[in-house]
Amino acid sequence: GAGVSQSPRYKVAKRGQDVALRCDPISGHVSLFWYQQALGQGPEFLTYFQNEAQLDKSGLPSDRFFAERPEGSVSTLKIQRTQQEDSAVYLCASSLGESETQYFGPGTRLLVL
Amino acid sequence: DQQVKQNSPSLSVQEGRISILNCDYTNSMFDYFLWYKKYPAEGPTFLISISSIKDKNEDGRFTVFLNKSAKHLSLHIVPSQPGDSAVYFCAASSPYGGSQGNLIFGKGTKLSVKP
């Protein structure tokens, strides 16, 4: 079956530009997570949705980061006024439930120049 | 301060031998531990997990050991195969603080299995 998909796979942005990253979770998965992975580091939690409800956004690094999942399926992570320190791989994961195994997408590699 | 630590950035093993990847954690509230495997340009793939009520979980060539008193877990791969070459991430979760599924990852260990 289809896994988690993310688009675009690569994104180059000029500093100050807004970007939107998309995640298509596995069909039927209630929980959706966003992680940020900097070079040489492990993934770091950004935010969590249960269906359309954003239950935890404690990992978002600043108010320039915004995530939504309006219909409880596809999710979008938006970064406004990108900065160089936002350069990272953004990973999306979904699971059947909050404590179930998380399945990751391939990630979006964002480079801010 | 890192709550999940993988102190070996890399490990090289001969094909057929055992690979042992180590992970230490500091938060005693962690109750679930996972290992993910990651190939370049792909997302992490779930490998094996263990609950804090157990001290061992085995799945084929992969075994995870948990030592709660030492706050240490390890992943054993026997026998190692060249296709096992990847970055391995240790992760932990806690029922307290944030969502229950919020995973905290180590920095990863790059395993190279030489033919």
Side-chain angles (χ1 to χ4, degrees):
Chain A
V4 178
S5 61
Q6 293 185 246
S7 60
R9 292 294 310 276
Y10 302 92
K11 176 70 179 178
V12 178
K14 292 183 180 178
R15 189 162 54 93
Q17 187 178 351
D18 296 350
V19 298
L21 313 179
R22 177 187 168 110
C23 172
D24 283 82
I26 294 172
S27 177
H29 277 197
V30 168
S31 298
L32 186 145
F33 302 82
W34 283 98
Y35 292 84
Q36 179 191 60
Q37 185 177 13
L39 192 63
Q41 305 294 316
E44 290 192 2
F45 171 78
L46 293 177
T47 187
Y48 161 66
F49 290 86
Q50 185 174 75
N51 295 307
E52 69 279 4
Q54 189 174 21
L55 299 186
D56 186 350
K57 52 182 181 179
S58 62
L60 296 176
S62 79
D63 58 8
R64 296 186 294 104
F65 286 71
F66 172 77
E68 60 183 5
R69 194 186 185 198
E71 296 178 0
S73 179
V74 171
S75 178
T76 304
L77 176 67
K78 297 179 180 178
I79 310 173
Q80 296 176 323
R81 305 180 303 281
T82 52
Q83 305 293 315
Q84 284 185 322
E85 61 262 29
D86 299 335
S87 296
V89 175
Y90 290 85
L91 293 163
C92 175
S94 71
S95 64
L96 278 171
E98 187 179 75
S99 301
E100 301 294 323
T101 300
Q102 294 181 30
Y103 296 89
F104 283 81
T108 294
R109 183 176 295 276
L110 173 65
L111 177 62
V112 182
L113 302 176
Chain B
D1 187 33
Q2 273 207 298
Q3 297 188 69
V4 177
K5 299 178 185 178
Q6 294 178 257
N7 292 319
S8 298
S10 63
L11 174 67
S12 184
V13 170
Q14 204 68 32
E15 180 179 6
R17 306 295 289 270
I18 183 172
S19 295
I20 300 176
L21 296 101
N22 293 303
C23 178
D24 298 291
Y25 61 95
T26 58
N27 189 340
S28 58
M29 301 307 292
F30 288 148
D31 67 344
Y32 196 64
F33 303 89
L34 308 90
W35 285 93
Y36 280 84
K37 173 179 174 181
K38 186 181 182 305
Y39 293 117
E42 295 183 13
T45 303
F46 170 73
L47 196 56
I48 192 169
S49 63
I50 187 166
S51 164
S52 60
I53 62 172
K54 294 186 174 182
D55 55 16
K56 176 182 174 182
N57 188 26
E58 190 173 351
D59 183 3
R61 297 186 296 115
F62 303 92
T63 303
V64 56
F65 295 92
L66 175 62
N67 182 335
K68 281 179 299 205
S69 60
K71 295 192 180 70
H72 177 85
L73 64 155
S74 61
L75 174 67
H76 293 211
I77 307 174
V78 182
S80 302
Q81 300 174 354
D84 296 329
S85 298
V87 177
Y88 289 78
F89 289 99
C90 171
S93 70
S94 164
Y96 306 103
S99 59
Q100 194 164 353
N102 174 0
L103 295 178
I104 298 170
F105 285 83
K107 290 188 177 183
T109 296
K110 184 175 182 178
L111 173 66
S112 300
V113 181
K114 300 188 183 304

